[in-house]
Amino acid sequence: MPMRTPPIADVMMIADDPYIAATASSLLAKPGFYLPVIEGPRMGRPNHETEVILCNNTVALSRCTRIVFAGLEAAAEAALTPYLRGNPAISLRSRLDIEKLAKPEWISGKPLHWPKRAIAVGLLKALREHRQITFVDGADVQWSCSGKGDHLVVIEDNTEISQVIAANYAFSLGAGINIIPEVDEDVCENILAAFYGSNSDPEARQSEVLQSVQEKLRSLCKDVTFPKQGSVTFITNKLPFGFGFQEFPSTHLFRYPHLGAAVVNGLARERAPRRGMTISALVDPSPDANAPEIARARDLLSNRGSLVRTYRGRAATVRAFTELVEWVPYDFLLIATHCGDVDGHRWTYEYKDREGIDRTLVVDIALGIASTDEKDMLNVMTKQVFHSLDGVPWREKEGRIYVGHAVQDWLSLIQQEDELQPVKKENVDRVYGSAALKMSDHNYIALPQVLAAYGSPVVINSACVSWHELAGIFMYANASAYVGTLVEILPYEAEEVVIRVLGKHFDKYLPHALWSAQREVYGNNVRKPYVMTGIYTQKLHASQINAPDYLAARISQQYRVAKQRLRQGKSGTEFARRSLTEQIKFYEGEMRRLVERWPKTKMLLKPFLKAEGE
């Protein structure tokens, strides 16, 4: 049967307990709809306020009016409740609470008793058979469940809430599901490192290295029966499994930390196809601005009704790109630049944690530097990557060292007034995982809190090796889809692939469009650099609305919110207050430029421009 984008159901579940969430899903999920399940905020993290806001934003994006808390801790419920704006929330903390939910008319037959493993398979079977699932002690499980169509969801084994989300996603698409063993962290790192260095070994051809990687990825899925002419969503820890199976189109979703929000972002964007790509942004910071895909993309997007903002050459500074990424409303972003790990600093800290244990924490630091309006003042963004703890490499710490409160206490100590100082400072040639994007003046370190003024955009990043680290970062920051590269690519390759996606294959699901474009460009060559993250039914749509009016409405809305936050003192640190002030000033400039270019927008912006003049 043909696959379609499912509408989002009216009820959302915010969950920490996978068994409560699965049982409730079997009662609440409606055939033909996607039941949104999102992970609860991680209240033990230093930035748990950000987690709460992310949950709230996802609820707002879904437009759900009924909320269910499934096994949330009391602190998370208390933090979320003020954001619900009067929408009642049902709290489920036990099997008895679940029994209070009324069974809908489509639930029939006896409950499905399922062991506490392979939750995704059990839940999908229950949903297919219109039965309530209950969990019992037992060892014998099935690892797959067939679907009604030709789409398959493959997920790495774990007992987290991601399996419940995967089952609801598969059910809404009429897809099957298959669970594969969780891949060891060292295996993941070796595979990703092979992609990263596939062109650097003078004794091995890149095609041979990539062929070996492809075979390894296929071996990790050896027990999966794939559809012969179908498609696949891989829900993965960090591996691009789709590269191993180039015979059919595929996409990826990261199972952690916010799989549920990623699915909602994609489905919510598909709910408004008329808006489509109303605002597009194209970035090429090279000195001669010679990325060939940028000019051709501009023509294609303009012809589809998109208002295109272009940042080229010296105009593509770190500051301009940072403002674009987070503050400008846009629906589509195309990046053409260099990406890679950069040099930086290594700082060594020595301290005693709350348990009285002497700790030595070594941290690598990459820097991104942007100009400001203040004289002799720069904005510095740092990405801190743990290198080792007590002499043990951070990536090898599992089973070799007790971490305990070492990281939390380090964070607390460096934020105090008499902050903890490093006992040793040195330079390093590479900060692993820094994945900096080269702008015209400096490196951009990608750590955005949000994208496109909460716009859930589609991002295509043609920078070399731009999927490894950046896919997770951009998806966490609320991209609805992210397309990046696994290896180095040449400008003409990027042009050929991107233009086919935006042109010939525009009306297809984005994973299918990307698959078709790469087959045409690379043929039978194993080297197919691009890989996608996002829901499978994501599409690029032509805009059918007035772009200047839409942009004016979005900018004025963000301007009003920023001024309200500053006025109410909801800005936290001095740095956050300065950022809000800069954001307000940025939007004031944007509104003036809008009126200069499109005088008719003055009627929409007049109240805000008047307030600015006062």
Side-chain angles (χ1 to χ4, degrees):
M1 61 182 295
M3 186 165 51
R4 66 183 184 88
T5 303
I8 299 174
D10 184 52
V11 58
M12 170 172 282
M13 198 181 315
I14 306 176
D16 279 341
D17 188 306
Y19 306 108
I20 293 176
T23 305
S25 291
S26 67
L27 297 174
L28 296 172
K30 297 167 58 178
F33 289 80
Y34 173 69
L35 174 69
V37 179
I38 65 173
E39 302 86 338
R42 297 170 289 178
M43 301 302 291
R45 293 174 62 89
N47 66 335
H48 63 267
E49 296 92 348
T50 302
E51 297 268 315
V52 172
I53 292 172
L54 187 148
C55 286
N56 170 64
N57 292 342
T58 307
V59 172
L61 195 62
S62 71
R63 302 181 191 172
C64 294
T65 59
R66 294 187 295 152
I67 308 298
V68 173
F69 294 147
L72 284 190
E73 58 178 298
E77 289 193 7
L80 287 166
T81 298
Y83 288 95
L84 299 183
R85 300 180 181 87
N87 291 334
I90 301 173
S91 182
L92 306 178
R93 295 190 177 181
S94 68
R95 183 177 297 179
L96 292 176
D97 290 333
I98 296 173
E99 291 175 356
K100 297 176 184 177
L101 295 175
K103 292 184 180 181
E105 63 275 8
W106 59 80
I107 296 294
S108 59
K110 297 180 179 179
L112 174 64
H113 300 295
W114 192 262
K116 293 182 178 180
R117 297 183 64 195
I119 299 173
V121 172
L123 177 54
L124 185 57
K125 286 177 65 68
L127 293 171
R128 289 261 193 274
E129 298 168 9
H130 306 290
R131 298 165 68 184
Q132 178 180 342
I133 190 171
T134 61
F135 291 96
V136 297
D137 294 330
D140 295 333
V141 296
Q142 300 173 25
W143 298 101
S144 64
C145 177
S146 61
K148 295 181 178 180
D150 293 325
H151 193 70
L152 179 66
V153 176
V154 177
I155 180 171
E156 287 186 62
D157 186 24
N158 61 83
T159 57
E160 297 177 278
I161 203 68
S162 57
Q163 288 214 28
V164 179
I165 299 168
N168 280 293
Y169 171 78
F171 179 60
S172 69
L173 296 178
I177 203 162
N178 199 300
I179 300 175
I180 62 174
E182 186 170 17
V183 182
D184 181 80
E185 188 74 14
D186 288 341
V187 174
C188 290
E189 291 301 328
N190 289 337
I191 289 175
L192 293 173
F195 279 120
Y196 195 94
S198 63
N199 203 31
S200 61
D201 187 349
E203 297 183 1
R205 296 173 56 190
Q206 185 182 47
S207 60
E208 295 173 350
V209 175
L210 295 179
Q211 184 70 46
S212 175
V213 172
Q214 184 185 56
E215 292 171 359
K216 181 62 177 177
L217 290 170
R218 294 180 77 91
S219 71
L220 295 172
C221 302
K222 63 180 183 300
D223 295 326
V224 178
T225 302
F226 288 97
K228 292 182 178 180
Q229 294 183 332
S231 52
V232 180
T233 297
F234 291 99
I235 299 180
T236 171
N237 179 26
K238 57 174 64 176
L239 288 179
F241 283 103
F243 183 86
F245 299 90
Q246 299 178 4
E247 60 267 37
F248 46 72
S250 64
T251 188
H252 303 77
L253 289 164
F254 296 112
R255 69 180 194 194
Y256 181 85
H258 289 292
L259 171 62
V263 177
V264 171
N265 286 335
L267 293 177
R269 170 160 287 280
E270 286 303 293
R271 186 167 53 194
R274 290 189 70 253
R275 191 182 96 193
M277 295 187 295
T278 298
I279 311 294
S280 298
L282 311 178
V283 180
D284 172 19
S286 60
D288 49 1
N290 65 348
E293 72 267 32
I294 295 295
R296 295 188 64 186
R298 183 181 181 89
D299 292 339
L300 286 168
L301 293 166
S302 297
N303 292 336
R304 298 189 188 280
S306 187
L307 174 61
V308 183
R309 303 173 65 118
T310 306
Y311 297 72
R312 307 196 74 175
R314 287 182 294 178
T317 63
V318 173
R319 178 181 180 179
F321 186 68
T322 302
E323 292 170 344
L324 162 68
V325 167
E326 299 197 32
W327 296 345
V328 175
Y330 58 89
D331 304 289
F332 176 77
L333 172 62
L334 175 61
I335 304 168
T337 187
H338 174 74
C339 176
D341 290 345
V342 294
D343 59 7
H345 309 277
R346 178 167 293 168
W347 289 4
T348 301
Y349 294 88
E350 293 179 352
Y351 58 98
K352 192 182 294 289
D353 69 14
R354 71 185 72 175
E355 298 178 76
I357 304 173
D358 290 323
R359 296 294 197 178
T360 301
L361 181 64
V362 180
V363 182
D364 289 349
I365 302 169
L367 300 178
I369 300 174
S371 62
T372 70
D373 291 332
E374 298 181 44
K375 186 179 180 180
D376 300 325
M377 179 74 74
L378 295 173
N379 245 338
V380 180
M381 176 65 71
T382 64
K383 183 168 185 178
Q384 298 172 326
V385 180
F386 296 140
H387 177 72
S388 66
L389 177 63
D390 299 342
V392 177
W394 185 257
R395 295 179 180 274
E396 301 173 15
K397 66 184 184 301
E398 297 300 329
R400 295 184 58 189
I401 193 171
Y402 172 67
V403 176
H405 300 283
V407 174
Q408 289 179 316
D409 291 346
W410 171 76
L411 285 169
S412 177
L413 287 169
I414 64 173
Q415 292 171 1
Q416 293 176 8
E417 185 174 348
D418 297 325
E419 62 184 51
L420 178 69
Q421 296 296 323
V423 298
K424 182 179 180 182
K425 295 183 179 181
E426 53 190 317
N427 297 326
V428 291
D429 294 332
R430 177 190 179 192
V431 177
Y432 186 87
S434 51
L437 291 170
K438 184 175 179 58
M439 294 296 121
S440 63
D441 57 345
H442 206 272
N443 293 318
Y444 169 79
I445 302 295
L447 293 171
Q449 294 295 310
V450 69
L451 301 180
Y454 302 95
S456 298
V458 174
V459 179
I460 296 182
N461 191 347
S462 287
C464 298
V465 202
S466 58
W467 188 84
H468 182 181
E469 293 287 342
L470 297 183
I473 291 172
F474 276 87
M475 292 299 291
Y476 179 82
N478 84 306
S480 62
Y482 178 89
V483 176
T485 63
L486 296 169
V487 298
E488 295 181 356
I489 60 171
L490 297 173
Y492 81 88
E493 296 178 80
E495 178 185 18
E496 291 297 325
V497 173
V498 170
I499 297 310
R500 281 173 168 80
V501 170
L502 296 179
K504 178 180 179 180
H505 303 296
F506 184 80
D507 291 325
K508 299 176 181 177
Y509 289 140
L510 188 51
H512 195 105
L514 183 64
W515 176 73
S516 298
Q518 293 202 95
R519 282 164 61 91
E520 292 171 2
V521 174
Y522 298 102
N524 294 326
N525 192 331
V526 68
R527 185 178 173 279
K528 294 182 173 64
Y530 287 89
V531 64
M532 176 172 161
T533 312
I535 64 168
Y536 189 83
T537 57
Q538 184 76 71
K539 275 188 175 183
L540 299 177
H541 299 279
S543 176
Q544 300 177 38
I545 63 176
N546 182 282
D549 286 355
Y550 169 77
L551 183 58
R554 288 290 312 283
I555 285 178
S556 60
Q557 177 191 40
Q558 293 302 310
Y559 175 74
R560 183 174 62 250
V561 169
K563 293 204 73 171
Q564 183 180 22
R565 288 182 61 198
L566 188 62
R567 185 169 55 249
Q568 294 177 347
K570 296 181 178 180
S571 49
T573 65
E574 178 60 31
F575 176 82
R577 287 189 290 273
R578 185 183 295 116
S579 179
L580 267 179
T581 302
E582 291 177 357
Q583 188 176 354
I584 290 167
K585 185 177 180 180
F586 172 81
Y587 285 134
E588 289 171 349
E590 286 289 297
M591 288 189 289
R592 287 194 297 270
R593 284 186 286 272
L594 265 171
V595 172
E596 290 172 2
R597 185 171 180 183
W598 293 284
K600 290 184 179 180
T601 61
K602 186 174 183 178
M603 295 303 297
L604 292 170
L605 298 174
K606 188 175 181 180
F608 306 100
L609 294 171
K610 181 180 179 182
E612 177 197 348
E614 295 174 353

